[in-house]
Amino acid sequence: MTKAARTFALPIQVYYEDTDAGGIVYHANFLKFAERARTSWLHAIGWPPRRVQEDLHIQFVVKHIEIDYRNPGFLDDKITATCTLENIGNSSITFEQLIERDKTVLAALKVVCVTINAKGRPIRVPPQLRQIFGA
Amino acid sequence: MTKAARTFALPIQVYYEDTDAGGIVYHANFLKFAERARTSWLHAIGWPPRRVQEDLHIQFVVKHIEIDYRNPGFLDDKITATCTLENIGNSSITFEQLIERDKTVLAALKVVCVTINAKGRPIRVPPQLRQIFGA
Amino acid sequence: MTKAARTFALPIQVYYEDTDAGGIVYHANFLKFAERARTSWLHAIGWPPRRVQEDLHIQFVVKHIEIDYRNPGFLDDKITATCTLENIGNSSITFEQLIERDKTVLAALKVVCVTINAKGRPIRVPPQLRQIFGA
Amino acid sequence: MTKAARTFALPIQVYYEDTDAGGIVYHANFLKFAERARTSWLHAIGWPPRRVQEDLHIQFVVKHIEIDYRNPGFLDDKITATCTLENIGNSSITFEQLIERDKTVLAALKVVCVTINAKGRPIRVPPQLRQIFGA
């Protein structure tokens, strides 16, 4: 089992569905972009959400988000959602995330996820994931 | 147990989330409006989706949709999604639906739903619902 | 012109569209619920977004959000999105918002909006809105 | 200027945002997948929506959709949205589209788009696009 790089980047295309009548990317959709990057990272390390749930009997849920909107995104934009591991606590993982178009930061996020068991209770981040994420 | 009127109407407010960079309601969102009307009808007759699932062990899934887009919807529009029972078959219910702003039809839909059991197999529409919908 | 109450509450119904395969409300959708409450408040005080844009030549954009997820939301939930004016700065308005099911807080948000002109530059919150919001 | 292949295929990853509490892809989201394929095709032939609008002063709007839901989609699915040119009329383009997971068809669509001018009136599909699409 190898350690994952501590940063993951996902290219994303902005479609009509992502924009609003203000002519820009609808603000809530940046959270979707960020989630796609986190989930794609899980895919990349061999632990897609369904396998996490079936084999480890846990689920990641979002506990806290801080997001700064710095520049608008537009239809047809080719953007990148990056995800950097900031910290692994007992039952939480903190990510720093950026949504960028070339070198322009559209949004910067801090996202805290918690691992919960089937009953919805916080549970220790399992060693399988802990090891891969490099903590 | 009383029969429901064969038509149900739900008022809907158009928010930024519903629109796109073309300045109009994003076309896929009309399917959300239509689904809100069907689900609110279920609520109104005392069978919200979770009760349908828990008590009758079935679920409604959409099988077929035809939708005509007639006029654009805009931010701030106050629209109405109506839902008329067209037919109840063995395991399917067909609705005619309209999305209107005042007397202007924005979209007209024909929606076929199927009742499925926990294994995802089509199953007869249960008598409790059949009776209420008036068939 | 009268001052608005400093808090606004909007009832919201949770539909299938709002939920995800985890069986709960998808985390990004709480931002939609919060935006619906802010926009409905603008409607209630006579300044829906399109009028704000056409008459005052400004637009509100979200600049910063902090959100705490405290309890999951579920399909069929009848929730309330409240919006309390926290502060009006030169070109920004800060809201404290809660998404609640009965007395259970599902999510708590701090949302900072900025008024921008047609060129996307921050501009002073116009007196018409300042007055109504009671600042 | 070369003719485009008459079929275009786009790989799509199913994320939490695409699913609902029924544990499957939310039915309206198949329309988003289909639109991503049509728009990506425009990108591939050098006519992304913004260039179409700025250079040709037209916009594509969806006029009619028929969709058959054949099999459910699930979280983590890697699917393909294909788009086949069926017909180019005076001011309309008809596509046949499939959403597939491996060889399993999840949904089959017929989508009619119309080219409109800045005033929202139907206008002849411009020769630049007509030629590329091979009609």
Side-chain angles (χ1 to χ4, degrees):
Chain A
M1 204 174 298
T2 57
K3 287 190 181 183
R6 292 175 78 95
T7 293
F8 182 83
L10 179 74
I12 290 174
Q13 165 76 47
V14 175
Y15 293 106
Y16 271 113
E17 66 184 271
D18 304 311
T19 59
D20 68 22
I24 60 177
V25 171
Y26 181 66
H27 74 284
N29 292 335
F30 284 100
L31 268 61
K32 292 187 177 180
F33 299 160
E35 195 262 336
R36 291 183 200 171
R38 297 194 305 276
T39 299
S40 289
W41 198 355
L42 286 172
H43 279 266
I45 63 175
W47 285 97
R50 267 163 61 192
R51 190 187 165 205
V52 168
Q53 204 166 345
E54 286 160 19
D55 289 10
L56 305 178
H57 309 289
I58 63 160
Q59 220 180 321
F60 287 102
V61 292
V62 178
K63 189 66 189 164
H64 183 79
I65 292 182
E66 290 172 34
I67 177 166
D68 252 328
Y69 296 95
R70 303 212 180 139
N71 287 286
F74 300 104
L75 179 66
D76 294 349
D77 275 358
K78 290 169 195 312
I79 62 180
T80 304
T82 60
C83 188
T84 303
L85 186 74
E86 186 61 22
N87 183 55
I88 299 190
N90 265 338
S91 61
S92 72
I93 305 186
T94 304
F95 300 98
E96 299 283 345
Q97 301 201 243
L98 290 176
I99 315 293
E100 295 168 292
R101 183 187 52 234
D102 303 320
K103 291 297 167 203
T104 303
V105 174
L106 307 188
L109 303 88
K110 180 184 168 183
V111 179
V112 183
C113 295
V114 170
T115 40
I116 58 169
N117 62 16
K119 291 180 179 172
R121 303 245 172 71
I123 191 174
R124 200 172 151 74
V125 178
Q128 293 94 327
L129 297 176
R130 202 173 277 276
Q131 196 175 345
I132 290 174
F133 277 122
Chain B
M1 201 176 299
T2 57
K3 287 190 181 182
R6 293 174 76 97
T7 292
F8 182 83
L10 179 74
I12 290 173
Q13 165 77 47
V14 175
Y15 293 106
Y16 270 113
E17 67 183 271
D18 304 310
T19 60
D20 69 23
I24 60 177
V25 172
Y26 182 65
H27 73 284
N29 291 335
F30 285 101
L31 268 61
K32 292 187 178 180
F33 299 160
E35 196 261 335
R36 291 183 201 172
R38 296 193 306 275
T39 299
S40 289
W41 197 355
L42 286 172
H43 278 265
I45 63 174
W47 285 97
R50 266 163 62 192
R51 188 185 166 206
V52 168
Q53 204 167 344
E54 286 160 19
D55 289 10
L56 306 179
H57 310 289
I58 64 161
Q59 220 180 320
F60 287 103
V61 293
V62 178
K63 188 65 188 164
H64 183 78
I65 292 182
E66 289 172 35
I67 178 165
D68 251 329
Y69 296 93
R70 304 211 179 139
N71 287 285
F74 300 103
L75 180 66
D76 294 349
D77 275 359
K78 290 168 194 310
I79 63 180
T80 304
T82 61
C83 189
T84 303
L85 185 75
E86 186 59 22
N87 183 56
I88 299 190
N90 265 337
S91 61
S92 71
I93 306 186
T94 304
F95 299 98
E96 300 283 346
Q97 300 201 245
L98 291 176
I99 314 294
E100 295 168 291
R101 181 186 53 235
D102 303 320
K103 291 298 168 202
T104 303
V105 174
L106 306 187
L109 303 88
K110 180 183 167 182
V111 179
V112 183
C113 294
V114 169
T115 41
I116 58 168
N117 62 17
K119 292 179 177 171
R121 303 247 172 72
I123 192 174
R124 201 173 150 74
V125 178
Q128 294 92 328
L129 296 177
R130 202 172 276 276
Q131 196 177 345
I132 290 173
F133 276 124
Chain C
M1 202 175 298
T2 58
K3 287 191 182 183
R6 293 174 78 96
T7 292
F8 183 84
L10 180 74
I12 289 174
Q13 165 76 46
V14 174
Y15 293 106
Y16 271 113
E17 66 183 272
D18 304 311
T19 60
D20 68 23
I24 60 177
V25 172
Y26 181 66
H27 73 285
N29 291 335
F30 285 100
L31 269 60
K32 292 186 178 182
F33 299 161
E35 197 261 336
R36 290 183 201 173
R38 297 193 305 276
T39 298
S40 289
W41 197 356
L42 285 174
H43 279 265
I45 63 174
W47 285 98
R50 265 162 64 192
R51 190 187 164 204
V52 167
Q53 203 166 345
E54 285 160 18
D55 290 10
L56 305 178
H57 311 288
I58 64 160
Q59 221 181 317
F60 287 102
V61 292
V62 178
K63 188 69 189 161
H64 184 79
I65 292 182
E66 289 170 35
I67 177 166
D68 253 328
Y69 296 94
R70 303 212 181 140
N71 287 285
F74 300 104
L75 180 66
D76 294 349
D77 275 0
K78 290 168 195 310
I79 61 179
T80 304
T82 60
C83 187
T84 302
L85 185 74
E86 186 61 21
N87 182 55
I88 299 190
N90 266 337
S91 61
S92 72
I93 306 186
T94 303
F95 300 98
E96 299 283 347
Q97 300 201 244
L98 290 176
I99 314 293
E100 296 168 291
R101 182 187 53 234
D102 302 322
K103 291 299 169 202
T104 303
V105 174
L106 308 187
L109 303 88
K110 180 183 167 183
V111 178
V112 182
C113 295
V114 169
T115 42
I116 57 168
N117 63 16
K119 291 179 179 171
R121 304 247 172 71
I123 192 174
R124 199 174 150 74
V125 178
Q128 292 93 328
L129 296 176
R130 203 171 275 276
Q131 197 177 343
I132 290 173
F133 275 122
Chain D
M1 202 176 298
T2 57
K3 288 190 181 183
R6 293 175 77 96
T7 292
F8 183 84
L10 180 74
I12 289 173
Q13 165 76 46
V14 175
Y15 293 105
Y16 271 113
E17 65 183 273
D18 304 311
T19 60
D20 69 24
I24 60 176
V25 172
Y26 181 66
H27 74 285
N29 291 336
F30 285 100
L31 269 60
K32 292 187 176 181
F33 299 161
E35 196 261 337
R36 290 183 201 173
R38 296 193 306 276
T39 299
S40 289
W41 197 355
L42 286 173
H43 278 265
I45 63 174
W47 285 97
R50 264 162 64 192
R51 190 186 165 207
V52 167
Q53 204 166 345
E54 284 161 19
D55 289 11
L56 306 178
H57 310 290
I58 63 160
Q59 220 180 319
F60 288 102
V61 293
V62 178
K63 188 66 188 163
H64 183 80
I65 291 182
E66 290 172 34
I67 177 166
D68 252 329
Y69 296 93
R70 303 211 180 140
N71 287 285
F74 300 103
L75 180 65
D76 294 348
D77 276 359
K78 290 169 195 310
I79 62 179
T80 305
T82 60
C83 187
T84 302
L85 185 74
E86 186 60 21
N87 182 56
I88 300 190
N90 265 336
S91 61
S92 71
I93 305 186
T94 304
F95 299 99
E96 299 283 347
Q97 301 201 244
L98 290 176
I99 314 294
E100 296 168 291
R101 181 186 54 232
D102 304 321
K103 292 299 169 201
T104 303
V105 175
L106 307 187
L109 304 88
K110 180 184 167 183
V111 179
V112 183
C113 294
V114 168
T115 41
I116 57 168
N117 62 16
K119 291 180 178 170
R121 303 246 172 71
I123 191 174
R124 199 173 151 74
V125 178
Q128 293 93 328
L129 297 176
R130 202 172 277 275
Q131 198 177 341
I132 291 173
F133 276 123

